[in-house]
């Protein structure tokens, strides 16, 4: 088995450019942004999604058979189409802001817990690229990874 270091996510290579340190204010704003997701969806405030996403956001829910949703309207439409199948509670935790990509973008990884109306729970990981536009951070790309297998399938070799 390949050992996993505590810095595996932080040290993951990327090709977008050199990592730059983010200011504390930016880190706080990004963490708040990622946390806003659950509040907006759980409250049904779908008309406020511009506070969370860029207009041209790509929201990849392929792990749930929905492919990539392009734009806020597509996300709103998908949530409304799912209706009572939506989780009643979305909780985000373990927010890790890995790096500033040097051009007003940063990479963020977080964990999500969803609670359904019947009390069942599920876990996901969010892989986000956030951008700073007009002085505010927004999610430009989100990939939702389902977590259904312990250790993500890693076993002894």
């Amino acid at each position: 088995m390949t050992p996993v270091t505590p810095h595996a996510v932080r040290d993951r290579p990327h090709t977008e450019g050199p990592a730059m340190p983010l200011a504390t204010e930016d880190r706080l704003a990004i963490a708040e942004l990622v946390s806003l997701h659950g509040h907006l969806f759980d409250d049904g405030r779908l008309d406020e999604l511009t506070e969370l996403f860029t207009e041209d956001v790509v929201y990849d829910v392929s792990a749930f058979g929905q492919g990539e949703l392009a734009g806020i309207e597509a996300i709103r439409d998908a949530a409304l189409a799912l209706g009572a199948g939506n989780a009643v509670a979305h909780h985000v935790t373990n927010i890790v802001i890995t790096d500033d990509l040097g051009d007003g973008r940063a990479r963020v990884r977080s964990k999500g817990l969803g609670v359904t109306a019947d009390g069942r729970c599920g876990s996901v990981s969010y892989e986000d690229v956030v951008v700073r536009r007009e002085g505010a951070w927004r999610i430009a790309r989100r990939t939702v990874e389902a977590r259904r297998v312990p250790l993500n399938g890693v076993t002894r070799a």
Side-chain angles (χ1 to χ4, degrees):
M1 177 166 75
T2 304
V4 177
T5 67
H7 304 292
V9 172
R10 185 190 71 202
D11 296 339
R12 182 175 48 208
H14 62 276
T15 59
E16 290 87 351
M20 307 285 285
L22 280 165
T24 300
E25 296 79 16
D26 287 318
R27 290 182 171 280
L28 291 170
I30 291 168
E32 252 184 49
L33 173 72
V34 172
S35 296
L36 181 62
H37 173 264
H39 293 286
L40 293 182
F41 280 89
D42 295 348
D43 293 346
R45 293 166 37 202
L46 303 178
D47 57 331
E48 296 177 41
L49 293 182
T50 56
E51 298 292 316
L52 183 62
F53 299 117
T54 61
E55 286 293 334
D56 59 348
V57 63
V58 175
Y59 198 93
D60 186 348
V61 283
S62 298
F64 297 93
Q66 296 182 27
E68 289 186 348
L69 305 173
I72 291 175
E73 283 302 315
I75 295 169
R76 184 181 294 122
D77 290 347
L80 291 171
L82 193 55
N86 282 288
V88 296
H90 294 80
H91 301 281
V92 68
T93 185
N94 301 62
I95 300 170
V96 179
I97 303 163
T98 56
D99 50 33
D100 178 348
L101 300 173
D103 58 356
R105 297 181 309 141
R107 192 184 325 259
V108 183
R109 184 171 168 87
S110 59
K111 302 293 288 180
L113 298 170
V115 181
T116 62
D118 65 3
R120 291 180 301 138
C121 294
S123 179
V124 299
S125 291
Y126 295 118
E127 295 279 347
D128 296 332
V129 173
V130 297
V131 298
R132 184 180 12 226
R133 291 191 181 159
E134 299 175 12
W137 289 96
R138 297 291 184 264
I139 298 171
R141 178 165 185 89
R142 170 167 277 188
T143 301
V144 185
E145 300 173 2
R147 291 289 169 214
R148 298 183 179 122
V149 178
L151 300 176
N152 204 28
V154 174
T155 59
R156 289 188 190 263

